[in-house]
Amino acid sequence: GIDFPEGTPSYVSAESLGEYIQKYASEYGVCDMPCRFGAEVIQVEPLSPEVDTGWRVTWRTEDGTASEEFDAVAVANGHYNKPYAPEVAGERRWLEADASRRIVHSQQYHVPEEFAGKVVMIVGARSSGVDIARELHGVAAGIYVLDKKCSEVQVDAVCCWVPDGCALRADGRLEIVSKEHDPNPHSHPHPELVPGLEVDTIVLATGYEFDFPFLSAEALGMRWGRFVTPLYQHIVHATKPTLAFIGIPLMVPCPIPLFEVQSRFLAMEWGLPARRTTHERESWVLSRERAVEPRSQDLHYMGAKASAWGYMRELMGMCELQPGVFEDWCARMEVVEAVYCDRVAKRPSLPWEDDWYRRCEYTVDWKNRSWTVKLPEDKIE
């Protein structure tokens, strides 16, 4: 990989990240390859339904459609296009009581001013949900954040952190019907009323579904939605190994290093024949599915703890690298992991607390495998 230019803020802007990706493509000669920009892939189909012999890819541009055959296909279309929009408990009666009420997904959120004076309920308290709550603080008239990790109601001046087991009443008030999500809010005769104003807007910070409109799930023996299967190591199709996916894992602490490792692993899988048998790949998928039962949506969940780092080390260890390459990479990733863990330790636990950790600036000495952090001035004791 390559590093960001010296002086880049530790919390990079979208513009800086875009420049980095362009530099990355230039550094590795991506733009010198026969790329087709501005092409929308509309179909990827196997040349044979029985044998893994190759693929026909059809795409569309301003000039029309075209097809070409390839030995292998790597799908890297991301998974932030199709919002996951679960029904909130009490949602139907809440909507029926007032036609002015609305539900939006965080994908549709742009600026806090759109919600000025509104009472907003944010469903989900991961990065997007908490960021939106902080931006709405001082703009919205009231904010509720529904979080499955919340065990009891906690209230700030305008923000209320509430358990996931809440339901909306027709009048817009929230009531706690269970400690966990309950699809039948009427089953509890004396629900606890959450303090606060009547909700008039819902923002779903509930993530996304995987979506591959150019693939046929039936023809490929696949299932996708909140997870994708059958993928060996979250990458290679178990029975059609010349079809692969980059970037499937969720809640990844450092996406770019993970993409690099997955790509290196895939290049090794495709470059050396018969590295894994179909039985080995299918057995890995089955073991992974059993490990997360009954929560299939956690099939690709990595999280900020050991699983993501361990996964990357496992993949790199499976690549046939030159002597010393794996050791150097591990040493580098130990620094990356340490910096990330320091950042996590500084992150506030409540959605209205100051996210001062984003103003920290990290400096890394890759040669000596060390790092330092400069705190914001108002946090220096």
Side-chain angles (χ1 to χ4, degrees):
I2 60 175
D3 294 323
F4 282 89
E6 188 173 348
T8 302
S10 295
Y11 288 84
V12 299
S13 64
E15 182 180 3
S16 294
L17 182 58
E19 292 172 352
Y20 173 86
I21 293 173
Q22 289 181 328
K23 181 181 178 182
Y24 194 106
S26 176
E27 185 83 11
Y28 289 100
V30 173
C31 295
D32 297 329
M33 299 177 184
C35 298
R36 296 177 178 84
F37 296 106
E40 178 192 2
V41 175
I42 55 178
Q43 188 174 39
V44 176
E45 56 185 336
L47 298 180
S48 167
E50 292 85 19
V51 185
D52 191 27
T53 56
W55 302 84
R56 180 178 294 104
V57 179
T58 304
W59 64 89
R60 177 169 49 220
T61 66
E62 294 179 350
D63 300 323
T65 60
S67 296
E68 190 172 340
E69 294 181 2
F70 297 90
D71 295 325
V73 171
V75 178
N77 66 328
H79 44 76
Y80 298 106
N81 292 318
K82 184 179 180 181
Y84 171 59
E87 182 175 336
V88 179
E91 172 187 313
R92 295 181 186 180
R93 59 180 178 181
W94 174 77
L95 285 172
E96 291 170 356
D98 190 335
S100 68
R101 292 168 175 168
R102 65 180 183 133
I103 301 174
V104 300
H105 191 272
S106 58
Q107 186 188 54
Q108 301 164 283
Y109 174 90
H110 299 293
V111 293
E113 287 72 24
E114 297 176 11
F115 301 87
K118 298 292 185 181
V119 179
V120 182
M121 182 175 75
I122 301 168
V123 182
R126 290 183 178 172
S127 298
S128 296
V130 171
D131 285 350
I132 291 172
R134 290 200 178 98
E135 287 196 2
L136 293 182
H137 209 279
V139 177
I143 307 163
Y144 297 91
V145 179
L146 267 67
D147 185 358
K148 63 182 179 182
K149 294 181 294 184
C150 177
S151 58
E152 59 181 356
V153 175
Q154 296 190 49
V155 183
D156 179 53
V158 297
C159 187
C160 188
W161 190 39
V162 295
D164 188 43
C166 285
L168 279 165
R169 302 196 321 181
D171 63 3
R173 296 292 300 276
L174 271 174
E175 55 188 15
I176 301 175
V177 297
S178 68
K179 291 299 181 183
E180 296 183 1
H181 179 73
D182 188 339
N184 183 15
H186 300 289
S187 64
H188 301 266
H190 303 292
E192 176 187 347
L193 199 61
V194 175
L197 302 173
E198 294 82 6
V199 174
D200 53 43
T201 305
I202 296 176
V203 176
L204 297 175
T206 46
Y208 296 80
E209 294 187 79
F210 295 97
D211 188 35
F212 311 106
F214 44 84
L215 296 176
S216 168
E218 182 178 359
L220 298 175
M222 296 184 69
R223 290 180 294 142
W224 62 71
R226 300 191 69 191
F227 60 93
V228 186
T229 191
L231 298 185
Y232 170 65
Q233 290 290 353
H234 310 285
I235 302 171
V236 179
H237 192 297
T239 61
K240 298 182 181 297
T242 56
L243 176 64
F245 298 75
I246 299 296
I248 292 295
L250 302 170
M251 290 296 290
V252 176
C254 296
I256 292 176
L258 181 129
F259 300 157
E260 290 177 327
V261 171
Q262 286 191 318
S263 299
R264 185 188 287 266
F265 172 83
L266 181 58
M268 192 66 64
E269 286 288 300
W270 282 351
L272 299 176
R275 280 172 54 84
R276 308 280 183 271
T277 65
T278 299
H279 176 71
E280 287 175 322
R281 290 189 296 267
E282 289 182 315
S283 295
W284 186 94
V285 172
L286 180 60
S287 176
R288 178 64 185 168
E289 289 177 343
R290 286 175 174 171
V292 299
E293 286 179 348
R295 289 182 55 84
S296 298
Q297 64 266 36
D298 291 342
L299 189 63
H300 311 294
Y301 181 86
M302 293 286 165
K305 296 184 179 180
S307 58
W309 310 103
Y311 169 69
M312 288 190 284
R313 290 188 180 94
E314 179 186 1
L315 286 187
M316 281 294 284
M318 295 169 72
C319 298
E320 298 184 8
L321 304 172
Q322 294 294 324
V325 173
F326 178 67
E327 291 74 15
D328 289 345
W329 179 87
C330 285
R332 182 182 177 93
M333 290 310 297
E334 284 180 4
V335 178
V336 175
E337 183 176 359
V339 170
Y340 182 83
C341 290
D342 184 78
R343 171 257 188 194
V344 170
K346 292 178 169 59
R347 186 170 57 192
S349 58
L350 295 172
W352 55 78
E353 292 179 332
D354 180 18
D355 58 348
W356 61 271
Y357 73 97
R358 294 174 186 258
R359 305 197 302 275
C360 293
E361 292 297 335
Y362 291 88
T363 302
V364 175
D365 182 344
W366 295 114
K367 182 178 180 181
N368 295 310
R369 308 301 187 195
S370 61
W371 59 275
T372 58
V373 58
K374 180 181 178 182
L375 302 177
E377 291 185 4
D378 59 340
K379 295 298 177 179
I380 299 175
E381 296 181 355

